[in-house]
Amino acid sequence: MQAYAIIKKKRDGERLSPEEISWFIEKYVAGEIPDYQVAAWLMAVYIRGLNAAETVALTEALVRSGQRVDLSDIAGIKVDKHSTGGVGDKTTLVLAPLLAAAGAKVAKVSGRGLGHTGGTIDKLESIPGFKTALGPAEFVSQVNRVGVAVVAQTETVVPADKKLYALRDVTATVDSIPLIAASIMSKKLACGADAIVLDVKTGSGAFVQDPGTARELARLMVDIGKHAGRRVTALITDMDQPLGYAVGNAVEVAEAVETLKGRGPLDLTELCLELGTRMLMLAGLATNAAAARARLEEMLWDGRALAKFKEWVAAQGGDPRVADDPGILPQAPQKIPVSSPRAGYVVQINALGVGEAARVLGAGRARKEDAVDPAVGVVLAAKVGTEVEAGEPLAYVLARDKGADEARQLVATAYTIAARPPKIRPLVRAIVEK
Ligand code: URA
């Protein structure tokens, strides 16, 4: 086989065989196909697309490039969730202990944040002492003992995706539906869960802003998962404003704790219950959505979800007192209000702008080598639909020594205030199952 012929075939809109795709990825990872040829192939794929069979072949080739996480020593159905990336999305911090409290096995491998979206691992590391690197035996043993473990993705899981993603990032080929689907699903499949709930975000703060395209992505990922013998459900959810009020790291942990106590923001609580319902059903622990939801609500109200959170944090070396006293989490020295320029209703909060503000403060990264500051971030005071007076705080910027002015400006620009109240859109736009 020849890289040139494979590029030409895709450039001309022909279908590639699984063997051709597999060979191409294998040789790329082995360093036998140079970046410039892979870049040309990515652009051909971007323009011509991949059909379902080609996307499955690409996903499988990516999985084969690295090691699979072996969860076979964990009894029962292992459940996982994945969000395509959002601002203020701390659902894993709530769902992991909530599902474990309800009897599911949550063995989760998570990523760090990049750009305007935060990562679960960065958030967890803001808990004093919390270790996100566990050896494979320790990981499996903790899930068997506690019901939940969340670790950082290592270099050995799907190395081909890492290489390919870096190239997509600089060749304007990130936002291709089959490339996104193969990238996400290769990591989910390699991480071994039997049941996966996908949270596909749509709206201003999402990777895929248009709901129709989000549905197409959801459909494709569900099909890839099913083809690999996994149980998969996707929810298409709104990311037209940040989720909850807190955007950052320690502040998101504090908000997740409130949610586990049953007093979290409505949108965050609702999304956790919707995603959790599907996770519980896929795990075979509930026969219908109403029963699953009632069970999860009970865990939130009676303290079992919070107790599981403490047990989980302690098992990974973290200080479980964060659940009783969020004051022990890192705190930013400055809290600067961003005031409303006029009276009216909040009709839009550009999630991308708020995410960007958190990033310039140091809560996220511009480059993957950057360190994050756990203490800084943004806390919203008004969400879409809130009526505000002129001069009333819309949000607070939690800053240390950098980026405060720029962040304040970004947050102010993210808000749109109008004379009439907005139409509130549903949080869950659609569910894709089959
Ligand atoms: N997230 C991923 O992991 N891969 C993509 O291609 C896009 C979002």
Side-chain angles (χ1 to χ4, degrees):
M1 278 190 227
Q2 275 192 333
Y4 179 91
I6 292 174
I7 299 165
K8 182 170 180 296
K9 210 167 159 185
K10 189 39 71 186
R11 181 201 70 183
D12 295 341
E14 289 177 48
R15 218 177 299 153
L16 298 174
S17 70
E19 293 73 26
E20 285 168 324
I21 291 172
S22 171
W23 179 88
F24 194 81
I25 296 299
E26 202 183 307
K27 296 294 173 194
Y28 176 48
V29 176
E32 293 172 33
I33 302 180
D35 276 356
Y36 55 81
Q37 283 192 303
V38 180
W41 181 78
L42 285 170
M43 188 54 79
V45 167
Y46 184 91
I47 292 166
R48 294 294 195 171
L50 294 177
N51 68 15
E54 290 174 306
T55 311
V56 165
L58 176 59
T59 310
E60 288 172 348
L62 293 175
V63 173
R64 278 196 299 275
S65 73
Q67 288 172 3
R68 289 165 196 257
V69 179
D70 183 2
L71 303 180
S72 57
D73 285 338
I74 301 172
I77 310 271
K78 277 75 72 182
V79 286
D80 195 358
K81 67 147 292 250
H82 180 84
S83 152
T84 58
V87 176
D89 188 350
K90 67 283 290 171
T91 49
T92 294
L93 305 184
V94 178
L95 282 168
L98 177 60
L99 267 292
K105 290 291 190 323
V106 185
K108 183 154 177 55
V109 180
S110 278
R112 294 181 186 279
L114 191 62
H116 73 281
T117 63
T120 299
I121 292 301
D122 295 323
K123 294 169 200 181
L124 285 171
E125 285 179 351
S126 68
I127 300 173
F130 198 101
K131 279 192 302 175
T132 56
L134 301 180
E138 215 182 340
F139 180 55
V140 165
S141 136
Q142 184 179 313
V143 179
N144 275 328
R145 212 173 58 250
V146 183
V148 49
V150 180
V151 293
Q153 190 179 315
T154 63
E155 305 278 313
T156 58
V157 175
V158 201
D161 177 65
K162 206 168 156 53
K163 231 178 140 180
L164 216 52
Y165 192 91
L167 202 52
R168 286 167 59 204
D169 215 12
V170 293
T171 55
T173 53
V174 167
D175 53 341
S176 145
I177 296 301
L179 292 179
I180 296 175
S183 164
I184 292 176
M185 289 309 291
S186 63
K187 287 173 283 193
K188 290 290 107 185
L189 298 182
C191 289
D194 309 294
I196 305 158
V197 173
L198 301 165
D199 180 7
V200 180
K201 304 285 191 192
T202 176
S204 66
F207 238 101
V208 177
Q209 304 201 343
D210 160 61
T213 314
R215 191 184 283 262
E216 199 187 317
L217 176 62
R219 163 89 288 130
L220 190 54
M221 291 198 290
V222 168
D223 287 347
I224 294 170
K226 297 238 157 127
H227 189 272
R230 312 295 170 94
R231 307 175 184 184
V232 192
T233 299
L235 271 68
I236 298 171
T237 73
D238 188 69
M239 185 35 73
D240 240 359
Q241 64 173 331
L243 189 62
Y245 290 84
V247 180
N249 295 294
V251 281
E252 293 202 30
V253 171
E255 191 169 72
V257 165
E258 283 303 292
T259 308
L260 285 161
K261 291 177 180 169
R263 4 184 245 239
L266 282 181
D267 59 349
L268 175 61
T269 304
E270 180 59 22
L271 184 59
C272 289
L273 289 171
E274 283 289 334
L275 292 168
T277 292
R278 303 290 147 186
M279 290 168 82
L280 214 52
M281 285 167 71
L282 287 189
L285 294 168
T287 47
N288 62 64
R293 191 178 165 113
R295 177 119 184 253
L296 295 175
E297 283 177 351
E298 203 183 304
M299 306 277 151
L300 288 181
W301 315 141
D302 72 7
R304 273 181 286 174
L306 187 71
K308 185 55 79 177
F309 175 81
K310 289 187 190 174
E311 192 187 349
W312 164 41
V313 168
Q316 289 193 227
D319 188 341
R321 289 175 305 158
V322 293
D324 305 313
D325 178 11
I328 65 173
L329 287 163
Q331 307 286 323
Q334 302 185 66
K335 184 175 179 184
I336 308 160
V338 179
S339 307
S340 180
R342 66 186 73 84
Y345 293 90
V346 176
V347 290
Q348 207 196 344
I349 309 171
N350 185 299
L352 203 78
V354 177
E356 195 53 21
R359 193 188 63 72
V360 303
L361 291 164
R365 300 179 175 79
R367 291 166 310 158
K368 60 181 186 308
E369 311 70 54
D370 296 346
V372 304
D373 183 339
V376 299
V378 177
V379 177
L380 308 184
K383 298 264 291 180
V384 169
T386 308
E387 188 176 6
V388 291
E389 297 297 334
E392 193 179 328
L394 295 172
Y396 294 91
V397 164
L398 309 180
R400 198 183 294 279
D401 46 9
K402 70 170 189 182
D405 281 342
E406 192 185 348
R408 211 156 40 86
Q409 199 53 49
L410 281 162
V411 173
T413 327
Y415 272 85
T416 308
I417 312 292
R420 290 177 193 284
K423 213 174 131 215
I424 304 290
R425 292 213 297 245
L427 186 61
V428 177
R429 303 271 186 93
I431 297 176
V432 178
E433 284 176 297
K434 296 210 173 61

